[in-house]
Amino acid sequence: MKIAIINGPNLNLLGTREPEIYGSLTFEQYLANLKSNFPHVEFFYFQSNVEGELINEIQNCGFGFDGIILNPAGYTHTSVALGDAIAAIDTPVVEVHISNVAAREDFRKISHVSAKCAGTIAGLGLQGYELALEYFIRKS
Ligand code: DQA
């Protein structure tokens, strides 16, 4: 099974970025754990702070993968083009947010990607990525 994890802007700073909201683990540390807990899954990981690079990668992973776990970060709330990219591909996408976006500022309650995704997980910390992975495993 081939799974892509795509993280948007500022998620490269996990571990030091607002740890009271996003926790103190880096994504690399979390991913190393995930890989060792799911040895049969082939992971591809991509992070970018650039909207167009995220779209390119969604397209690249959009036809040969079993699932994409996507945290579009701030672009969730602004990017029509990211939503369009998800609608244009075959691979199902699960949207993940580390924080509970529904409990934060009003602008975070708008998502341009949710309606194009199989589902959304928010507010469960980094565990959300693992739960999204479980969804793809059970579905396969
Ligand atoms: C986030 C929530 C977004 O509102 C925010 O802009 C992020 C991270 C999350 O994982 O909780 O950068 O996607």
Side-chain angles (χ1 to χ4, degrees):
M1 146 162 289
K2 272 176 77 175
I3 297 292
I5 299 178
I6 300 179
N7 274 342
N10 303 306
L11 293 171
N12 54 315
L13 298 181
L14 279 185
T16 54
R17 173 195 184 196
E18 300 179 274
E20 66 288 356
I21 299 175
Y22 298 113
S24 52
L25 213 59
T26 69
F27 198 78
E28 286 66 26
Q29 288 166 332
Y30 177 75
L31 187 59
N33 255 322
L34 199 62
K35 283 179 175 170
S36 69
N37 291 341
F38 294 89
H40 302 303
V41 175
E42 193 184 326
F43 288 97
F44 168 78
Y45 176 58
F46 181 78
Q47 188 278 330
S48 177
N49 296 324
V50 180
E51 185 178 10
E53 288 182 359
L54 294 167
I55 292 167
N56 284 343
E57 223 44 58
I58 288 168
Q59 291 184 6
N60 287 341
C61 300
F63 300 92
F65 279 70
D66 298 294
I68 297 175
I69 300 169
L70 174 68
N71 184 344
Y75 288 134
T76 308
H77 319 298
T78 62
S79 178
V80 170
L82 267 180
D84 285 348
I86 297 165
I89 60 171
D90 289 344
T91 303
V93 177
V94 172
E95 176 188 7
V96 169
H97 298 287
I98 298 163
S99 65
N100 183 357
V101 282
R104 298 181 65 191
E105 300 95 324
D106 280 350
F107 67 83
R108 294 187 204 275
K109 293 176 184 144
I110 291 165
S111 170
H112 290 284
V113 307
S114 294
K116 322 285 182 186
C117 290
T120 299
I121 298 169
L124 304 181
L126 284 167
Q127 201 188 352
Y129 290 85
E130 190 175 328
L131 294 170
L133 178 61
E134 286 282 1
Y135 163 75
F136 286 123
I137 291 170
R138 284 174 197 211
K139 172 176 180 292
S140 69

mmCIF file with all atom_site columns, all heavy atoms in Angstrom, residues 9-11 17 21-22 71-77 96-101 104 107-108 129, ligand 1:
data_model
loop_
_atom_site.group_PDB
_atom_site.id
_atom_site.type_symbol
_atom_site.label_atom_id
_atom_site.label_alt_id
_atom_site.label_comp_id
_atom_site.label_asym_id
_atom_site.label_entity_id
_atom_site.label_seq_id
_atom_site.pdbx_PDB_ins_code
_atom_site.Cartn_x
_atom_site.Cartn_y
_atom_site.Cartn_z
_atom_site.occupancy
_atom_site.B_iso_or_equiv
_atom_site.pdbx_formal_charge
_atom_site.auth_seq_id
_atom_site.auth_comp_id
_atom_site.auth_asym_id
_atom_site.auth_atom_id
_atom_site.pdbx_PDB_model_num
ATOM   1   N N   . PRO A 1 9   ? 2.165   24.794 4.690  1.00 0.00 ? 9   PRO A N   1
ATOM   2   C CA  . PRO A 1 9   ? 3.082   25.786 5.243  1.00 0.00 ? 9   PRO A CA  1
ATOM   3   C C   . PRO A 1 9   ? 3.217   25.764 6.760  1.00 0.00 ? 9   PRO A C   1
ATOM   4   O O   . PRO A 1 9   ? 2.238   25.539 7.477  1.00 0.00 ? 9   PRO A O   1
ATOM   5   C CB  . PRO A 1 9   ? 2.482   27.125 4.782  1.00 0.00 ? 9   PRO A CB  1
ATOM   6   C CG  . PRO A 1 9   ? 1.092   26.821 4.365  1.00 0.00 ? 9   PRO A CG  1
ATOM   7   C CD  . PRO A 1 9   ? 1.083   25.403 3.901  1.00 0.00 ? 9   PRO A CD  1
ATOM   8   N N   . ASN A 1 10  ? 4.444   25.974 7.176  1.00 0.00 ? 10  ASN A N   1
ATOM   9   C CA  . ASN A 1 10  ? 4.832   26.106 8.587  1.00 0.00 ? 10  ASN A CA  1
ATOM   10  C C   . ASN A 1 10  ? 4.842   24.792 9.360  1.00 0.00 ? 10  ASN A C   1
ATOM   11  O O   . ASN A 1 10  ? 5.242   24.764 10.521 1.00 0.00 ? 10  ASN A O   1
ATOM   12  C CB  . ASN A 1 10  ? 3.951   27.144 9.315  1.00 0.00 ? 10  ASN A CB  1
ATOM   13  C CG  . ASN A 1 10  ? 4.012   28.494 8.620  1.00 0.00 ? 10  ASN A CG  1
ATOM   14  O OD1 . ASN A 1 10  ? 5.109   29.021 8.413  1.00 0.00 ? 10  ASN A OD1 1
ATOM   15  N ND2 . ASN A 1 10  ? 2.890   29.035 8.198  1.00 0.00 ? 10  ASN A ND2 1
ATOM   16  N N   . LEU A 1 11  ? 4.428   23.718 8.721  1.00 0.00 ? 11  LEU A N   1
ATOM   17  C CA  . LEU A 1 11  ? 4.446   22.435 9.425  1.00 0.00 ? 11  LEU A CA  1
ATOM   18  C C   . LEU A 1 11  ? 5.864   21.862 9.493  1.00 0.00 ? 11  LEU A C   1
ATOM   19  O O   . LEU A 1 11  ? 6.116   20.913 10.228 1.00 0.00 ? 11  LEU A O   1
ATOM   20  C CB  . LEU A 1 11  ? 3.451   21.454 8.794  1.00 0.00 ? 11  LEU A CB  1
ATOM   21  C CG  . LEU A 1 11  ? 1.990   21.895 8.991  1.00 0.00 ? 11  LEU A CG  1
ATOM   22  C CD1 . LEU A 1 11  ? 1.031   21.035 8.181  1.00 0.00 ? 11  LEU A CD1 1
ATOM   23  C CD2 . LEU A 1 11  ? 1.594   21.861 10.470 1.00 0.00 ? 11  LEU A CD2 1
ATOM   24  N N   . ARG A 1 17  ? 7.055   25.329 16.800 1.00 0.00 ? 17  ARG A N   1
ATOM   25  C CA  . ARG A 1 17  ? 5.997   26.282 16.444 1.00 0.00 ? 17  ARG A CA  1
ATOM   26  C C   . ARG A 1 17  ? 4.826   26.156 17.431 1.00 0.00 ? 17  ARG A C   1
ATOM   27  O O   . ARG A 1 17  ? 4.189   25.090 17.518 1.00 0.00 ? 17  ARG A O   1
ATOM   28  C CB  . ARG A 1 17  ? 5.498   25.912 15.037 1.00 0.00 ? 17  ARG A CB  1
ATOM   29  C CG  . ARG A 1 17  ? 4.310   26.686 14.595 1.00 0.00 ? 17  ARG A CG  1
ATOM   30  C CD  . ARG A 1 17  ? 3.644   26.051 13.377 1.00 0.00 ? 17  ARG A CD  1
ATOM   31  N NE  . ARG A 1 17  ? 2.561   26.890 12.930 1.00 0.00 ? 17  ARG A NE  1
ATOM   32  C CZ  . ARG A 1 17  ? 1.611   26.500 12.116 1.00 0.00 ? 17  ARG A CZ  1
ATOM   33  N NH1 . ARG A 1 17  ? 1.613   25.272 11.620 1.00 0.00 ? 17  ARG A NH1 1
ATOM   34  N NH2 . ARG A 1 17  ? 0.663   27.325 11.763 1.00 0.00 ? 17  ARG A NH2 1
ATOM   35  N N   . ILE A 1 21  ? -0.188  24.651 21.018 1.00 0.00 ? 21  ILE A N   1
ATOM   36  C CA  . ILE A 1 21  ? -1.249  24.277 20.070 1.00 0.00 ? 21  ILE A CA  1
ATOM   37  C C   . ILE A 1 21  ? -0.869  23.002 19.312 1.00 0.00 ? 21  ILE A C   1
ATOM   38  O O   . ILE A 1 21  ? -1.688  22.108 19.125 1.00 0.00 ? 21  ILE A O   1
ATOM   39  C CB  . ILE A 1 21  ? -1.516  25.408 19.043 1.00 0.00 ? 21  ILE A CB  1
ATOM   40  C CG1 . ILE A 1 21  ? -1.985  26.675 19.756 1.00 0.00 ? 21  ILE A CG1 1
ATOM   41  C CG2 . ILE A 1 21  ? -2.549  24.971 17.991 1.00 0.00 ? 21  ILE A CG2 1
ATOM   42  C CD1 . ILE A 1 21  ? -2.169  27.881 18.839 1.00 0.00 ? 21  ILE A CD1 1
ATOM   43  N N   . TYR A 1 22  ? 0.392   22.933 18.862 1.00 0.00 ? 22  TYR A N   1
ATOM   44  C CA  . TYR A 1 22  ? 0.770   21.874 17.922 1.00 0.00 ? 22  TYR A CA  1
ATOM   45  C C   . TYR A 1 22  ? 1.661   20.786 18.522 1.00 0.00 ? 22  TYR A C   1
ATOM   46  O O   . TYR A 1 22  ? 2.010   19.836 17.822 1.00 0.00 ? 22  TYR A O   1
ATOM   47  C CB  . TYR A 1 22  ? 1.464   22.504 16.702 1.00 0.00 ? 22  TYR A CB  1
ATOM   48  C CG  . TYR A 1 22  ? 0.562   23.462 15.941 1.00 0.00 ? 22  TYR A CG  1
ATOM   49  C CD1 . TYR A 1 22  ? 0.833   24.832 15.901 1.00 0.00 ? 22  TYR A CD1 1
ATOM   50  C CD2 . TYR A 1 22  ? -0.571  23.005 15.276 1.00 0.00 ? 22  TYR A CD2 1
ATOM   51  C CE1 . TYR A 1 22  ? 0.010   25.716 15.215 1.00 0.00 ? 22  TYR A CE1 1
ATOM   52  C CE2 . TYR A 1 22  ? -1.408  23.879 14.593 1.00 0.00 ? 22  TYR A CE2 1
ATOM   53  C CZ  . TYR A 1 22  ? -1.108  25.233 14.567 1.00 0.00 ? 22  TYR A CZ  1
ATOM   54  O OH  . TYR A 1 22  ? -1.942  26.094 13.888 1.00 0.00 ? 22  TYR A OH  1
ATOM   55  N N   . ASN A 1 71  ? -2.469  17.728 5.167  1.00 0.00 ? 71  ASN A N   1
ATOM   56  C CA  . ASN A 1 71  ? -2.707  18.854 6.079  1.00 0.00 ? 71  ASN A CA  1
ATOM   57  C C   . ASN A 1 71  ? -2.318  20.125 5.321  1.00 0.00 ? 71  ASN A C   1
ATOM   58  O O   . ASN A 1 71  ? -1.141  20.459 5.230  1.00 0.00 ? 71  ASN A O   1
ATOM   59  C CB  . ASN A 1 71  ? -1.885  18.718 7.364  1.00 0.00 ? 71  ASN A CB  1
ATOM   60  C CG  . ASN A 1 71  ? -2.213  19.828 8.357  1.00 0.00 ? 71  ASN A CG  1
ATOM   61  O OD1 . ASN A 1 71  ? -2.819  20.842 8.001  1.00 0.00 ? 71  ASN A OD1 1
ATOM   62  N ND2 . ASN A 1 71  ? -1.813  19.633 9.606  1.00 0.00 ? 71  ASN A ND2 1
ATOM   63  N N   . PRO A 1 72  ? -3.310  20.811 4.743  1.00 0.00 ? 72  PRO A N   1
ATOM   64  C CA  . PRO A 1 72  ? -2.989  21.988 3.929  1.00 0.00 ? 72  PRO A CA  1
ATOM   65  C C   . PRO A 1 72  ? -2.634  23.220 4.769  1.00 0.00 ? 72  PRO A C   1
ATOM   66  O O   . PRO A 1 72  ? -2.359  24.287 4.211  1.00 0.00 ? 72  PRO A O   1
ATOM   67  C CB  . PRO A 1 72  ? -4.280  22.238 3.137  1.00 0.00 ? 72  PRO A CB  1
ATOM   68  C CG  . PRO A 1 72  ? -5.231  21.143 3.499  1.00 0.00 ? 72  PRO A CG  1
ATOM   69  C CD  . PRO A 1 72  ? -4.754  20.534 4.766  1.00 0.00 ? 72  PRO A CD  1
ATOM   70  N N   . ALA A 1 73  ? -2.693  23.076 6.106  1.00 0.00 ? 73  ALA A N   1
ATOM   71  C CA  . ALA A 1 73  ? -2.349  24.147 7.046  1.00 0.00 ? 73  ALA A CA  1
ATOM   72  C C   . ALA A 1 73  ? -3.093  25.438 6.676  1.00 0.00 ? 73  ALA A C   1
ATOM   73  O O   . ALA A 1 73  ? -4.290  25.383 6.375  1.00 0.00 ? 73  ALA A O   1
ATOM   74  C CB  . ALA A 1 73  ? -0.830  24.314 7.106  1.00 0.00 ? 73  ALA A CB  1
ATOM   75  N N   . GLY A 1 74  ? -2.416  26.571 6.644  1.00 0.00 ? 74  GLY A N   1
ATOM   76  C CA  . GLY A 1 74  ? -3.104  27.841 6.399  1.00 0.00 ? 74  GLY A CA  1
ATOM   77  C C   . GLY A 1 74  ? -3.806  27.906 5.059  1.00 0.00 ? 74  GLY A C   1
ATOM   78  O O   . GLY A 1 74  ? -4.815  28.615 4.914  1.00 0.00 ? 74  GLY A O   1
ATOM   79  N N   . TYR A 1 75  ? -3.321  27.162 4.071  1.00 0.00 ? 75  TYR A N   1
ATOM   80  C CA  . TYR A 1 75  ? -3.964  27.180 2.740  1.00 0.00 ? 75  TYR A CA  1
ATOM   81  C C   . TYR A 1 75  ? -5.357  26.544 2.753  1.00 0.00 ? 75  TYR A C   1
ATOM   82  O O   . TYR A 1 75  ? -6.147  26.759 1.833  1.00 0.00 ? 75  TYR A O   1
ATOM   83  C CB  . TYR A 1 75  ? -3.088  26.488 1.692  1.00 0.00 ? 75  TYR A CB  1
ATOM   84  C CG  . TYR A 1 75  ? -1.856  27.273 1.310  1.00 0.00 ? 75  TYR A CG  1
ATOM   85  C CD1 . TYR A 1 75  ? -0.614  26.651 1.232  1.00 0.00 ? 75  TYR A CD1 1
ATOM   86  C CD2 . TYR A 1 75  ? -1.929  28.626 1.020  1.00 0.00 ? 75  TYR A CD2 1
ATOM   87  C CE1 . TYR A 1 75  ? 0.523   27.359 0.888  1.00 0.00 ? 75  TYR A CE1 1
ATOM   88  C CE2 . TYR A 1 75  ? -0.802  29.355 0.675  1.00 0.00 ? 75  TYR A CE2 1
ATOM   89  C CZ  . TYR A 1 75  ? 0.423   28.712 0.605  1.00 0.00 ? 75  TYR A CZ  1
ATOM   90  O OH  . TYR A 1 75  ? 1.541   29.419 0.264  1.00 0.00 ? 75  TYR A OH  1
ATOM   91  N N   . THR A 1 76  ? -5.636  25.758 3.786  1.00 0.00 ? 76  THR A N   1
ATOM   92  C CA  . THR A 1 76  ? -6.982  25.190 3.940  1.00 0.00 ? 76  THR A CA  1
ATOM   93  C C   . THR A 1 76  ? -8.046  26.274 3.786  1.00 0.00 ? 76  THR A C   1
ATOM   94  O O   . THR A 1 76  ? -9.074  26.073 3.147  1.00 0.00 ? 76  THR A O   1
ATOM   95  C CB  . THR A 1 76  ? -7.144  24.628 5.383  1.00 0.00 ? 76  THR A CB  1
ATOM   96  O OG1 . THR A 1 76  ? -6.070  23.753 5.666  1.00 0.00 ? 76  THR A OG1 1
ATOM   97  C CG2 . THR A 1 76  ? -8.479  23.945 5.576  1.00 0.00 ? 76  THR A CG2 1
ATOM   98  N N   . HIS A 1 77  ? -7.739  27.394 4.404  1.00 0.00 ? 77  HIS A N   1
ATOM   99  C CA  . HIS A 1 77  ? -8.750  28.441 4.576  1.00 0.00 ? 77  HIS A CA  1
ATOM   100 C C   . HIS A 1 77  ? -8.743  29.465 3.447  1.00 0.00 ? 77  HIS A C   1
ATOM   101 O O   . HIS A 1 77  ? -9.562  30.372 3.434  1.00 0.00 ? 77  HIS A O   1
ATOM   102 C CB  . HIS A 1 77  ? -8.520  29.144 5.921  1.00 0.00 ? 77  HIS A CB  1
ATOM   103 C CG  . HIS A 1 77  ? -8.170  28.193 7.033  1.00 0.00 ? 77  HIS A CG  1
ATOM   104 N ND1 . HIS A 1 77  ? -9.038  27.215 7.452  1.00 0.00 ? 77  HIS A ND1 1
ATOM   105 C CD2 . HIS A 1 77  ? -7.029  28.027 7.775  1.00 0.00 ? 77  HIS A CD2 1
ATOM   106 C CE1 . HIS A 1 77  ? -8.458  26.512 8.428  1.00 0.00 ? 77  HIS A CE1 1
ATOM   107 N NE2 . HIS A 1 77  ? -7.235  26.987 8.634  1.00 0.00 ? 77  HIS A NE2 1
ATOM   108 N N   . VAL A 1 96  ? -6.309  16.376 7.329  1.00 0.00 ? 96  VAL A N   1
ATOM   109 C CA  . VAL A 1 96  ? -5.972  16.276 8.759  1.00 0.00 ? 96  VAL A CA  1
ATOM   110 C C   . VAL A 1 96  ? -5.554  17.647 9.278  1.00 0.00 ? 96  VAL A C   1
ATOM   111 O O   . VAL A 1 96  ? -4.790  18.363 8.613  1.00 0.00 ? 96  VAL A O   1
ATOM   112 C CB  . VAL A 1 96  ? -4.830  15.251 8.991  1.00 0.00 ? 96  VAL A CB  1
ATOM   113 C CG1 . VAL A 1 96  ? -4.295  15.325 10.418 1.00 0.00 ? 96  VAL A CG1 1
ATOM   114 C CG2 . VAL A 1 96  ? -5.315  13.828 8.701  1.00 0.00 ? 96  VAL A CG2 1
ATOM   115 N N   . HIS A 1 97  ? -6.052  17.991 10.452 1.00 0.00 ? 97  HIS A N   1
ATOM   116 C CA  . HIS A 1 97  ? -5.562  19.161 11.191 1.00 0.00 ? 97  HIS A CA  1
ATOM   117 C C   . HIS A 1 97  ? -5.173  18.716 12.588 1.00 0.00 ? 97  HIS A C   1
ATOM   118 O O   . HIS A 1 97  ? -5.941  17.990 13.245 1.00 0.00 ? 97  HIS A O   1
ATOM   119 C CB  . HIS A 1 97  ? -6.623  20.262 11.267 1.00 0.00 ? 97  HIS A CB  1
ATOM   120 C CG  . HIS A 1 97  ? -7.001  20.767 9.919  1.00 0.00 ? 97  HIS A CG  1
ATOM   121 N ND1 . HIS A 1 97  ? -6.171  21.575 9.177  1.00 0.00 ? 97  HIS A ND1 1
ATOM   122 C CD2 . HIS A 1 97  ? -8.093  20.521 9.147  1.00 0.00 ? 97  HIS A CD2 1
ATOM   123 C CE1 . HIS A 1 97  ? -6.751  21.831 8.015  1.00 0.00 ? 97  HIS A CE1 1
ATOM   124 N NE2 . HIS A 1 97  ? -7.905  21.191 7.965  1.00 0.00 ? 97  HIS A NE2 1
ATOM   125 N N   . ILE A 1 98  ? -4.029  19.167 13.016 1.00 0.00 ? 98  ILE A N   1
ATOM   126 C CA  . ILE A 1 98  ? -3.534  18.803 14.345 1.00 0.00 ? 98  ILE A CA  1
ATOM   127 C C   . ILE A 1 98  ? -4.412  19.438 15.424 1.00 0.00 ? 98  ILE A C   1
ATOM   128 O O   . ILE A 1 98  ? -4.797  18.798 16.396 1.00 0.00 ? 98  ILE A O   1
ATOM   129 C CB  . ILE A 1 98  ? -2.062  19.257 14.481 1.00 0.00 ? 98  ILE A CB  1
ATOM   130 C CG1 . ILE A 1 98  ? -1.207  18.522 13.448 1.00 0.00 ? 98  ILE A CG1 1
ATOM   131 C CG2 . ILE A 1 98  ? -1.544  19.035 15.897 1.00 0.00 ? 98  ILE A CG2 1
ATOM   132 C CD1 . ILE A 1 98  ? 0.160   19.168 13.200 1.00 0.00 ? 98  ILE A CD1 1
ATOM   133 N N   . SER A 1 99  ? -4.719  20.703 15.216 1.00 0.00 ? 99  SER A N   1
ATOM   134 C CA  . SER A 1 99  ? -5.529  21.432 16.198 1.00 0.00 ? 99  SER A CA  1
ATOM   135 C C   . SER A 1 99  ? -7.011  21.319 15.840 1.00 0.00 ? 99  SER A C   1
ATOM   136 O O   . SER A 1 99  ? -7.365  20.940 14.713 1.00 0.00 ? 99  SER A O   1
ATOM   137 C CB  . SER A 1 99  ? -5.107  22.904 16.220 1.00 0.00 ? 99  SER A CB  1
ATOM   138 O OG  . SER A 1 99  ? -5.412  23.511 14.974 1.00 0.00 ? 99  SER A OG  1
ATOM   139 N N   . ASN A 1 100 ? -7.848  21.666 16.802 1.00 0.00 ? 100 ASN A N   1
ATOM   140 C CA  . ASN A 1 100 ? -9.293  21.645 16.569 1.00 0.00 ? 100 ASN A CA  1
ATOM   141 C C   . ASN A 1 100 ? -9.697  22.978 15.932 1.00 0.00 ? 100 ASN A C   1
ATOM   142 O O   . ASN A 1 100 ? -10.015 23.942 16.620 1.00 0.00 ? 100 ASN A O   1
ATOM   143 C CB  . ASN A 1 100 ? -10.031 21.417 17.887 1.00 0.00 ? 100 ASN A CB  1
ATOM   144 C CG  . ASN A 1 100 ? -11.530 21.310 17.666 1.00 0.00 ? 100 ASN A CG  1
ATOM   145 O OD1 . ASN A 1 100 ? -12.013 21.464 16.542 1.00 0.00 ? 100 ASN A OD1 1
ATOM   146 N ND2 . ASN A 1 100 ? -12.263 21.058 18.728 1.00 0.00 ? 100 ASN A ND2 1
ATOM   147 N N   . VAL A 1 101 ? -9.661  22.998 14.601 1.00 0.00 ? 101 VAL A N   1
ATOM   148 C CA  . VAL A 1 101 ? -9.896  24.250 13.882 1.00 0.00 ? 101 VAL A CA  1
ATOM   149 C C   . VAL A 1 101 ? -11.290 24.833 14.172 1.00 0.00 ? 101 VAL A C   1
ATOM   150 O O   . VAL A 1 101 ? -11.478 26.049 14.116 1.00 0.00 ? 101 VAL A O   1
ATOM   151 C CB  . VAL A 1 101 ? -9.672  24.087 12.352 1.00 0.00 ? 101 VAL A CB  1
ATOM   152 C CG1 . VAL A 1 101 ? -8.200  24.098 12.027 1.00 0.00 ? 101 VAL A CG1 1
ATOM   153 C CG2 . VAL A 1 101 ? -10.330 22.839 11.803 1.00 0.00 ? 101 VAL A CG2 1
ATOM   154 N N   . ARG A 1 104 ? -11.211 27.372 17.080 1.00 0.00 ? 104 ARG A N   1
ATOM   155 C CA  . ARG A 1 104 ? -10.254 28.481 17.012 1.00 0.00 ? 104 ARG A CA  1
ATOM   156 C C   . ARG A 1 104 ? -10.906 29.705 16.342 1.00 0.00 ? 104 ARG A C   1
ATOM   157 O O   . ARG A 1 104 ? -12.117 29.870 16.402 1.00 0.00 ? 104 ARG A O   1
ATOM   158 C CB  . ARG A 1 104 ? -8.982  27.996 16.308 1.00 0.00 ? 104 ARG A CB  1
ATOM   159 C CG  . ARG A 1 104 ? -8.304  26.852 17.091 1.00 0.00 ? 104 ARG A CG  1
ATOM   160 C CD  . ARG A 1 104 ? -7.036  26.375 16.420 1.00 0.00 ? 104 ARG A CD  1
ATOM   161 N NE  . ARG A 1 104 ? -6.017  27.418 16.413 1.00 0.00 ? 104 ARG A NE  1
ATOM   162 C CZ  . ARG A 1 104 ? -4.877  27.326 15.698 1.00 0.00 ? 104 ARG A CZ  1
ATOM   163 N NH1 . ARG A 1 104 ? -4.634  26.247 14.958 1.00 0.00 ? 104 ARG A NH1 1
ATOM   164 N NH2 . ARG A 1 104 ? -3.995  28.293 15.738 1.00 0.00 ? 104 ARG A NH2 1
ATOM   165 N N   . PHE A 1 107 ? -11.989 32.370 10.947 1.00 0.00 ? 107 PHE A N   1
ATOM   166 C CA  . PHE A 1 107 ? -11.473 32.124 9.586  1.00 0.00 ? 107 PHE A CA  1
ATOM   167 C C   . PHE A 1 107 ? -10.988 30.688 9.423  1.00 0.00 ? 107 PHE A C   1
ATOM   168 O O   . PHE A 1 107 ? -10.904 30.179 8.307  1.00 0.00 ? 107 PHE A O   1
ATOM   169 C CB  . PHE A 1 107 ? -10.383 33.139 9.199  1.00 0.00 ? 107 PHE A CB  1
ATOM   170 C CG  . PHE A 1 107 ? -9.099  33.032 9.995  1.00 0.00 ? 107 PHE A CG  1
ATOM   171 C CD1 . PHE A 1 107 ? -8.129  32.095 9.645  1.00 0.00 ? 107 PHE A CD1 1
ATOM   172 C CD2 . PHE A 1 107 ? -8.867  33.875 11.073 1.00 0.00 ? 107 PHE A CD2 1
ATOM   173 C CE1 . PHE A 1 107 ? -6.941  32.002 10.360 1.00 0.00 ? 107 PHE A CE1 1
ATOM   174 C CE2 . PHE A 1 107 ? -7.680  33.776 11.807 1.00 0.00 ? 107 PHE A CE2 1
ATOM   175 C CZ  . PHE A 1 107 ? -6.716  32.837 11.452 1.00 0.00 ? 107 PHE A CZ  1
ATOM   176 N N   . ARG A 1 108 ? -10.694 30.006 10.535 1.00 0.00 ? 108 ARG A N   1
ATOM   177 C CA  . ARG A 1 108 ? -10.243 28.605 10.436 1.00 0.00 ? 108 ARG A CA  1
ATOM   178 C C   . ARG A 1 108 ? -11.416 27.639 10.288 1.00 0.00 ? 108 ARG A C   1
ATOM   179 O O   . ARG A 1 108 ? -11.240 26.440 10.090 1.00 0.00 ? 108 ARG A O   1
ATOM   180 C CB  . ARG A 1 108 ? -9.418  28.217 11.667 1.00 0.00 ? 108 ARG A CB  1
ATOM   181 C CG  . ARG A 1 108 ? -8.106  28.960 11.759 1.00 0.00 ? 108 ARG A CG  1
ATOM   182 C CD  . ARG A 1 108 ? -7.235  28.433 12.876 1.00 0.00 ? 108 ARG A CD  1
ATOM   183 N NE  . ARG A 1 108 ? -6.304  29.449 13.314 1.00 0.00 ? 108 ARG A NE  1
ATOM   184 C CZ  . ARG A 1 108 ? -5.123  29.708 12.754 1.00 0.00 ? 108 ARG A CZ  1
ATOM   185 N NH1 . ARG A 1 108 ? -4.707  28.974 11.749 1.00 0.00 ? 108 ARG A NH1 1
ATOM   186 N NH2 . ARG A 1 108 ? -4.350  30.664 13.215 1.00 0.00 ? 108 ARG A NH2 1
ATOM   187 N N   . TYR A 1 129 ? -2.998  11.775 11.899 1.00 0.00 ? 129 TYR A N   1
ATOM   188 C CA  . TYR A 1 129 ? -2.362  11.193 10.703 1.00 0.00 ? 129 TYR A CA  1
ATOM   189 C C   . TYR A 1 129 ? -2.474  9.657  10.741 1.00 0.00 ? 129 TYR A C   1
ATOM   190 O O   . TYR A 1 129 ? -2.725  9.013  9.730  1.00 0.00 ? 129 TYR A O   1
ATOM   191 C CB  . TYR A 1 129 ? -0.884  11.591 10.628 1.00 0.00 ? 129 TYR A CB  1
ATOM   192 C CG  . TYR A 1 129 ? -0.642  13.053 10.313 1.00 0.00 ? 129 TYR A CG  1
ATOM   193 C CD1 . TYR A 1 129 ? -0.642  14.010 11.319 1.00 0.00 ? 129 TYR A CD1 1
ATOM   194 C CD2 . TYR A 1 129 ? -0.404  13.482 9.007  1.00 0.00 ? 129 TYR A CD2 1
ATOM   195 C CE1 . TYR A 1 129 ? -0.414  15.359 11.037 1.00 0.00 ? 129 TYR A CE1 1
ATOM   196 C CE2 . TYR A 1 129 ? -0.169  14.827 8.719  1.00 0.00 ? 129 TYR A CE2 1
ATOM   197 C CZ  . TYR A 1 129 ? -0.176  15.750 9.735  1.00 0.00 ? 129 TYR A CZ  1
ATOM   198 O OH  . TYR A 1 129 ? 0.051   17.080 9.452  1.00 0.00 ? 129 TYR A OH  1
HETATM 199 C C1  . DQA B 2 .   ? -3.513  23.431 10.975 1.00 0.00 ? 1   DQA B C1  1
HETATM 200 C C2  . DQA B 2 .   ? -4.637  24.421 11.303 1.00 0.00 ? 1   DQA B C2  1
HETATM 201 C C3  . DQA B 2 .   ? -4.563  25.627 10.388 1.00 0.00 ? 1   DQA B C3  1
HETATM 202 O O1  . DQA B 2 .   ? -5.616  26.528 10.698 1.00 0.00 ? 1   DQA B O1  1
HETATM 203 C C4  . DQA B 2 .   ? -3.252  26.343 10.566 1.00 0.00 ? 1   DQA B C4  1
HETATM 204 O O2  . DQA B 2 .   ? -3.163  27.428 9.667  1.00 0.00 ? 1   DQA B O2  1
HETATM 205 C C5  . DQA B 2 .   ? -2.076  25.431 10.448 1.00 0.00 ? 1   DQA B C5  1
HETATM 206 C C6  . DQA B 2 .   ? -2.158  24.084 10.995 1.00 0.00 ? 1   DQA B C6  1
HETATM 207 C C7  . DQA B 2 .   ? -3.492  22.247 11.971 1.00 0.00 ? 1   DQA B C7  1
HETATM 208 O O3  . DQA B 2 .   ? -2.852  21.255 11.660 1.00 0.00 ? 1   DQA B O3  1
HETATM 209 O O4  . DQA B 2 .   ? -4.068  22.361 13.052 1.00 0.00 ? 1   DQA B O4  1
HETATM 210 O O5  . DQA B 2 .   ? -1.018  25.840 9.982  1.00 0.00 ? 1   DQA B O5  1
HETATM 211 O O6  . DQA B 2 .   ? -3.761  22.893 9.681  1.00 0.00 ? 1   DQA B O6  1
#
